Amino acid sequence: MSAVIPQAPRIHALSPHDATLWLPAALQIYVAAMDYPAGTETHRLPMWREHLNRPGYAAFGAVQALPAADGRPVDHLVGIAYGYSGAGDQWWNRQLRVGLRQRGLPPAGIDAMAGHYFELTELHVHPAAQGHGVGSALLTALLTDRPEPRVLLSTPEVAAEQNRAWKLYRRTGFYDVLRDFRFSGDPRPFAVLGHDLPFGPPAP
């Protein structure tokens, strides 16, 4: 992808009905942003399709005009964010409850945290478009006017929290829920972060 021309991203809601149009490009962004090997998108596609039908599902995309071969600007999807309402029958919710129990949270506290929330499932910006406020714009669009009391997400642990994802989450006020947690089947340590809703800038 060519370098993104400096302009504010245009954020659009992405409907499940039109997912056949935007999902392939969104998965390419996911692979590029996470530096996964080519072909990873094929294995993720069924899961992303299944998520389309979950209660509370919402998705937003960031569109930028990039120059085509003839020099004329052509719109490209450069960022994707989606999520849905968390529920007890979901794998991620069951894993969250395991982690909270391991940390010693009592049942009432676990239910308070894991009983009603919005799961920010994916937030990715193509590397060529990073550093232009795309991630922040997508995050704000996705979390505005949500009915849940909080949003939760998981992100891989990195040394000293030094990557763009961590910097975005800390800058916008996300707090720790779990640290160094291993999801079943994945040896990497993850953090679970949260933010109370409605979404807004962190308090001073």
Side-chain angles (χ1 to χ4, degrees), residues 105-145:
L105 203 65
I110 294 174
D111 288 339
M113 178 63 68
H116 187 33
Y117 62 91
F118 179 73
E119 181 186 330
L120 199 170
T121 311
E122 306 287 352
L123 172 59
H124 305 289
V125 178
H126 193 282
Q130 293 177 6
H132 297 277
V134 178
S136 180
L138 284 169
L139 186 65
T140 299
L142 184 64
L143 298 183
T144 297
D145 297 328

Side-chain angles (χ1 to χ4, degrees), residues 4-8 64 132:
V4 175
I5 61 175
Q7 65 177 46
Q64 292 270 1
H132 297 277

Side-chain angles (χ1 to χ4, degrees), residues 165-182:
W166 272 97
K167 290 177 181 178
L168 171 63
Y169 298 140
R170 291 310 197 196
R171 187 170 66 248
T172 51
F174 276 80
Y175 52 80
D176 293 344
V177 175
L178 291 173
R179 297 300 300 264
D180 294 307
F181 177 69
R182 266 72 172 179

Side-chain angles (χ1 to χ4, degrees), residues 51-155:
H51 291 168
L52 295 169
N53 299 312
R54 293 197 172 182
Y57 180 90
F60 286 84
V63 175
Q64 292 270 1
L66 304 178
D70 60 5
R72 292 183 298 178
V74 177
D75 283 346
H76 288 265
L77 189 71
V78 298
I80 173 69
Y82 82 79
Y84 43 79
S85 299
D89 61 348
Q90 298 166 2
W91 177 85
W92 197 87
N93 182 281
R94 293 194 294 271
Q95 293 286 298
L96 172 65
R97 289 175 179 272
V98 168
L100 294 173
R101 187 164 56 249
Q102 290 175 347
R103 299 304 190 271
L105 203 65
I110 294 174
D111 288 339
M113 178 63 68
H116 187 33
Y117 62 91
F118 179 73
E119 181 186 330
L120 199 170
T121 311
E122 306 287 352
L123 172 59
H124 305 289
V125 178
H126 193 282
Q130 293 177 6
H132 297 277
V134 178
S136 180
L138 284 169
L139 186 65
T140 299
L142 184 64
L143 298 183
T144 297
D145 297 328
R146 290 300 312 182
E148 298 88 355
R150 69 185 56 84
V151 54
L152 301 177
L153 63 89
S154 56
T155 191

Side-chain angles (χ1 to χ4, degrees), residues 13-29 48 52 57-61 77 79-82:
L14 303 175
S15 75
H17 178 74
D18 293 329
T20 54
L21 300 177
W22 62 260
L23 261 181
L27 282 161
Q28 290 295 331
I29 293 168
W48 284 37
L52 295 169
Y57 180 90
F60 286 84
L77 189 71
I80 173 69
Y82 82 79

